[in-house]
Amino acid sequence: MARRLKHWGWGFEDEQPAPEELRQAAQFLSERLGFGSSEPEEPAPLPALSPPRLQPPDSLAAICRSDDYERALHSYGRSYSDIVRAFRGRFDHPPDVVAHPRDEGEVAAVLEWAVSAGAAVIPFGGGTSVVGGVEPRVGDVYAGVVTIDLKALDRVLEVDPVSRAARIQAGALGPSLEQQLGEHGLTLRHFPQSFQFSTLGGWIATRSGGHFATLYTHIDDLVESIRALTPSGDWESRRLPGSGAGVSPDRLLIGSEGTLGIISEAWVRVRPRPAHRASAGVRFTDFGSGADAVRALSQSGLYPTNCRLIDAAEAAITRAGDGSYALLVLGFESADHDVEPWMSLALDCCSDFGGAWERRGAGREGEGGDSVGSWRDAFLRAPYLRDTFVAIGVLSETFETAITWDRFAEFHAAVLERARAAVHEVCGTGSVTCRFTHVYPDGPAPYYTILAPARRGDELAQWAEIKAAASEAVLAAGGTITHHHAIGRDHRPWYDRQRPDAFAAALRGAKAAVDPTGALNPGVLIDPVS
Ligand SMILES: Cc1cc2nc3c(=O)[nH]c(=O)nc-3n(C[C@H](O)[C@H](O)[C@H](O)COP(=O)(O)OP(=O)(O)OC[C@H]3O[C@@H](n4cnc5c(N)ncnc54)[C@H](O)[C@@H]3O)c2cc1C
């Protein structure tokens, strides 16, 4: 029998820890954090949902489902507020129909029917959105909601070894896509933390950021051309290594979050798998001197593949440190040449800022010393841990941004102060920690993690208040409302203030041209029709 995904959390139903295991985890975590219950709550059973408002035509019945499990599974992404609501059995806006097209023709047929029925259409990849990007909260003007799940479009269709590119269907999940490319000795090398359950189409639609810190780690840079279906016709760009022909059709679709078209496939840039690696964990007495070292590294032309500065408190929480120092997880890799000389130069640079390093590894990242390995394990476990946090009454939230180096120190101090104040006002206690996920020659992308005691039943109000305070702080201090998590429905108020008004009008115009009834993902980036 096929494994079923948890309808409320991360991973498969059969991965949910047994009650005794959960109790042990709860005991350990609550002792370590100093809050949270040692008695975990059970998820509510899946409730009976309101009857669907739409019925697909007979011609599409075989690929459409309207059972409660399927509708619940497609009701939310995987943000903290999504998990809390689904955990408690609260499904206020389930989609009416979930379609599973098996090829592009079926995507087109579902789209045509849904638009003619007056429905809203939500493109759905892996459903790992953390910003309300797939939630069918679309208002009352639509006859219902049809969610189009693209995961059956999961094949690598073509590989061009000469240009090092591959044509891949949009619904391919990270592991499947990498396994198929691996048969050709190639990799897309795009590893967001949600890699296991997110798709190529979702990455393109949200401008996702991979796990590497510099150079080609954003999906933006890996896309060569895109094919998408819109209510007004197909949108397919030419395969080109670069083009100066006006506004890029790809760049308009990248980050369109399902509002301009349904991405069915893309040509992406691939590369040979790396054969040479080096990694090290570098300690700094404080985050500020680590940030200075990272700035120098980011401007040195060395371009480390990993350059993740973790503050002392976060290093302690992930067991990568003891709380007395900030940790820089540094890594280099190449398919072509030994990277030790680069690592030596990078470590020299770190020592100029007081950095001290541990044993260096030459293998996979995580073999560069115990702290790097501990951090890597914590990184991989984190998505599962979020479910446990909900069960034991710990509010866990992340927010991420980017800022230029000249403003970083002031920005970081202001954002930390405001976010910590909000956490204390709302929860009484808790922590706000920071790491850099990506670094550029002109600035870092800081990523903040909040852990705080939640009041059971009141978590959503607590979350909303903290989220608003953090978002206000980021915007007021000059950052972007998101560096790689996208806008969705949750970031709209701040995104609307961040973007130029003339650009907003241009985007509305583009949408009106390709989606005249406003069917595609209403409320994301652009207001729904009223
Ligand atoms: C634990 C966790 C870790 C994460 N780590 C990262 C990270 O490291 N980096 C990062 O960038 N993000 C991360 N995210 C956020 C999320 O995984 C990304 O936004 C990801 O790109 C979403 O892909 P998906 O396939 O799950 O898309 P979905 O969640 O299904 O959809 C996201 C958006 O894209 C649209 N969409 C999806 N597929 C298509 C398509 N084929 N055509 C048009 N529109 C489409 C949807 O309508 C929606 O607006 C993380 C999320 C979680 C829960």
Side-chain angles (χ1 to χ4, degrees), residues 210-213 307-308 400 435-439 445-447 483-484:
H211 148 92
F212 295 110
C307 191
R308 207 170 282 245
E400 35 76 62
R435 65 177 186 258
F436 290 167
T437 57
H438 300 80
V439 292
Y447 184 104
H483 170 263
H484 59 266

Side-chain angles (χ1 to χ4, degrees), residues 117-341:
V121 175
I122 302 193
F124 192 102
T128 65
S129 167
V130 281
V131 292
V134 291
E135 187 179 342
R137 212 183 336 132
V138 299
D140 296 331
V141 291
Y142 298 90
V145 175
V146 177
T147 288
I148 304 186
D149 184 318
L150 279 306
K151 278 195 290 296
L153 275 68
D154 65 352
R155 278 175 308 131
V156 172
L157 298 169
E158 233 176 302
V159 170
D160 168 358
V162 177
S163 320
R164 286 202 180 147
R167 182 174 150 231
I168 305 178
Q169 290 185 304
L173 291 165
S176 160
L177 171 162
E178 280 295 329
Q179 182 261 321
Q180 293 178 69
L181 287 175
E183 291 166 14
H184 302 266
L186 297 168
T187 174
L188 177 60
R189 195 181 169 274
H190 182 72
F191 301 112
Q193 193 182 27
S194 54
F195 172 78
Q196 191 184 358
F197 294 110
S198 54
T199 62
L200 175 65
W203 299 340
I204 295 173
T206 59
R207 297 183 73 182
S208 64
H211 148 92
F212 295 110
T214 64
L215 290 181
Y216 308 112
T217 182
H218 289 276
I219 201 69
D220 311 35
D221 297 322
L222 302 175
V223 169
E224 191 178 74
S225 78
I226 306 176
R227 180 169 163 76
L229 309 183
T230 83
S232 301
D234 300 346
W235 177 329
E236 183 171 358
S237 61
R238 289 184 175 206
R239 279 190 65 201
L240 293 167
S243 168
V247 175
S248 160
D250 295 337
R251 293 274 165 170
L252 202 52
L253 274 180
I254 296 171
S256 60
E257 301 192 28
T259 62
L260 296 180
I262 302 180
I263 298 163
S264 58
E265 59 178 62
W267 274 95
V268 289
R269 301 185 173 108
V270 293
R271 60 174 71 197
R273 302 192 154 227
H276 306 268
R277 290 191 175 93
S279 62
V282 186
R283 298 173 178 204
F284 291 92
T285 47
D286 60 281
F287 194 67
S289 49
D292 289 341
V294 168
R295 177 168 66 82
L297 273 173
S298 71
Q299 296 170 345
S300 67
L302 289 168
Y303 298 116
T305 49
N306 210 341
C307 191
R308 207 170 282 245
L309 182 67
I310 305 160
D311 75 13
E314 187 159 322
I317 289 170
T318 56
R319 294 195 140 178
D322 63 8
S324 66
Y325 56 87
L327 177 73
L328 174 62
V329 176
L330 195 57
F332 287 87
E333 65 170 46
S334 167
D336 179 68
H337 49 259
D338 179 22
V339 288
E340 274 304 319

